[in-house]
Structure formats: C-alpha cells, structure tokens
Amino acid sequence: MEATLRWVLITAIAPVAWGTTYFVTHAYLPADHPLYGAAIRALPAGLLLLAVCRERPRGPWWWKSLVLGALNMGGFFALIYVAAQLLPTSTASTVMATSPLVMMLIAWALLAERPRVLPLAGAVVGLGGVCLMLLTGTASIDLRGVLASVAAMLMSSLGYVLAKRWGGEVDVLASTAWQLIAGGLLLLPLAALVEGAPPALDIPAALGFGYVTVVATALAFVAWFAGLRHLPAATVGLVGLLNPVTGVLLGTVIAGETLTPRQLCGLALVSAGILLGRPVRGRKVQHPPKAARPATPVRPPASPHHPK
C-alpha cells in the first residue's frame, strides 16, 4: 500500500501542474496563436527529455510514437486550445472531467481491466464534484467548443490507455520524449499554414513558456506515464480530477477569488471520488498461531532395581 500511495502522489504531479497552465496561459501566453503555443510547449519539452535519456525509437516505436504523439500531444493540445478559446474554463474542465469514465471503458476493451464498483462510483462522485465546483449555468455554450473538448477528451483517453498497453516495452523518459517530439513536429506545419509567422515573445511570455514546457509538460507527462505503468487506468483517470481542482484553488490564492460553500462541497466530493477509486490490494490474512500440542511426558528409564 505504501508503494501504491507513492505512485498516486507521483501521478498527481501531472494534473496539479496542468491545472496551473490555465492561469499561466491566460496571463502570459499569446492567446491568438494556439497552434504555435501547443508546438512550442511540446517540441522543446521532448527535446529536453531526449537529451536526458539519449535513446532513439527502434522498430515499431517509430509508428507508435507517431500515434501516441498525435493522440496525447499534437491533436490534444490543439483541440484543447480551441476549446479554451470557445468555451468558459468551467465548461471545458467539466467535459474533461468525464475522462475517468471513458478511460475505464477503453481500458476494459484494450487491457481487460474490468471496471470495478468502487472506481466507477468514485468517477461518478468526482464528476459530480467537478460539476458542482464549476458549472454556473450563466455562461453561453458554443457547440464547436463542446465538440472540440469532447474530441480532446476522447483522443487523450485512448492515447493514455495505449501508452499503458505499450509502455512496458521502453523507458518512460524515452517514450515520453518521442511522443512530445512527434506531436510538436505534427503541429508545426499546421501552425505555419493556419497562423502564419510565429508570435513574437516578450520576457513574461518566454518565462511562461519555459514553465509550461519544463514543469507542466516534460515533468508532468513523465509523472503521468509513470503512474500509468504502476497503477490501474481507472485510478490514474481519477487522479486527473485534480486538474480542475487546482485551477479553482489557484484562482482563490492568486486572483483573490472566494470559495463558495458549493465549491467547497465540490472539492470534498472530488477528494472522496479519488479516495473511492484508489486501488486496494488484498492483505494476507494473519492466522493466529496454532496452539502448541502438550509435550508428551518423558518417563525416566526404569531402574534395574525397580520392579516393572
């Protein structure tokens, strides 16, 4: 159980880091260049990890890196930027909060990880908590943004389960680096075609991209994929609910927003959902020691002078 808790905490680095990108992107990064922003986020992070691991793809990992890079990095980053532009953050985060349920179903189909009652209940409770925190019913909904957010959620859920299925074949640093590089290379020509010249970056934007690249991408995805190797996909998906929770708490701490009683109830529900879905390994039953049989008394040898 200690090892399981350790991997849950390591995995939690990813959604917590991703939750901070809402504030950093809104405050410092150019909002009118989402494709370049996604490429600048992915490609340098992949090159940084490649410099650490110094491994190139071999055999089928050339096409596997391309598939995972398109699902987990390139397509996901682009779609989530589109969703962020067209939807309120609360709505986009709530759509992404359905990922644990989708990951359970995909893991059932591809990994034979049959959904269990407690993780399913935890996903439902956690989703309810996210809705309670974020949905206000006052913002207008753009159908294009909803479709982009749903597509991003489906792509990343499939990509994460495939990464878990293939992950044991290579080092986690190497596979993460290859995915990020492939995703970044897929985004660059699309960004040049749609957005033209790259954006000019001032010092705050450069520092913001540095944080997003190193912490919220390189470090976060290594922690996320490491967690996928050691934990059930259902548990990892539930830990991902910390993403919108971090966004709400960061807004409270930095932007001075006040947590309402409804948001506090939502935070409690998300925490309860994550706890419900944690993997519980059976403990060995400690049987009480058997009662010692009474020793057979040893008779002293008969004396030759004692009558038998």
Side-chain angles (χ1 to χ4, degrees):
M1 290 301 296
E2 291 181 0
T4 300
L5 178 60
R6 181 171 66 249
W7 284 114
V8 168
L9 293 176
I10 291 174
T11 307
I13 294 173
V16 170
W18 294 337
T20 64
T21 59
Y22 296 118
F23 172 78
V24 175
T25 300
H26 179 75
Y28 301 111
L29 305 187
D32 53 345
H33 290 79
L35 294 176
Y36 272 118
I40 294 173
R41 175 183 179 182
L43 192 54
L47 293 174
L48 175 63
L49 294 179
L50 187 65
V52 174
C53 67
R54 298 183 179 182
E55 291 186 35
R56 292 185 300 174
R58 297 180 301 276
W61 267 97
W62 285 102
W63 66 265
K64 289 180 179 181
S65 299
L66 189 62
V67 171
L68 294 178
L71 292 173
N72 295 332
M73 313 300 177
F76 174 73
F77 286 170
L79 287 169
I80 209 66
Y81 260 100
V82 172
Q85 287 183 338
L86 299 177
L87 292 176
T89 301
S90 59
T91 306
S93 298
T94 304
V95 173
M96 290 303 299
T98 62
S99 179
L101 293 171
V102 176
M103 284 182 66
M104 288 183 198
L105 296 177
I106 297 176
W108 188 8
L110 297 183
L111 305 178
E113 288 187 3
R114 188 181 183 89
R116 297 185 177 182
V117 175
L118 286 181
L120 280 174
V124 173
V125 171
L127 177 59
V130 172
C131 293
L132 196 61
M133 280 191 304
L134 301 178
L135 290 184
T136 61
T138 58
S140 59
I141 302 299
D142 191 317
L143 181 59
R144 296 172 300 168
V146 172
L147 293 176
S149 189
V150 170
M153 181 271 298
L154 292 174
M155 290 181 66
S156 61
S157 298
L158 175 60
Y160 295 153
V161 174
L162 287 176
K164 179 176 178 62
R165 181 175 182 175
W166 297 334
E169 303 172 4
V170 293
D171 179 72
V172 66
L173 281 178
S175 63
T176 306
W178 303 336
Q179 292 179 59
L180 287 167
I181 293 173
L185 292 177
L186 289 173
L187 284 168
L188 277 180
L190 184 61
L193 180 64
V194 175
E195 298 176 357
L201 302 180
D202 55 12
I203 293 179
L207 293 176
F209 270 121
Y211 170 81
V212 170
T213 296
V214 176
V215 178
T217 303
L219 175 62
F221 274 103
V222 168
W224 185 254
F225 289 132
L228 277 170
R229 294 195 180 189
H230 294 86
L231 297 171
T235 301
V236 176
L238 284 171
V239 174
L241 293 176
L242 292 174
N243 186 341
V245 170
T246 302
V248 171
L249 294 178
L250 195 63
T252 303
V253 173
I254 296 181
E257 301 172 0
T258 303
L259 280 177
T260 64
R262 187 180 67 177
Q263 287 177 315
L264 290 173
C265 291
L267 288 173
L269 284 177
V270 171
S271 301
I274 294 174
L275 290 176
L276 273 176
R278 75 191 190 280
V280 179
R281 298 180 180 179
R283 297 179 180 176
K284 294 183 179 179
V285 179
Q286 299 292 335
H287 297 285
K290 295 182 179 179
R293 297 176 60 183
T296 304
V298 179
R299 296 182 179 180
S303 172
H305 304 289
H306 191 278
K308 292 186 180 180

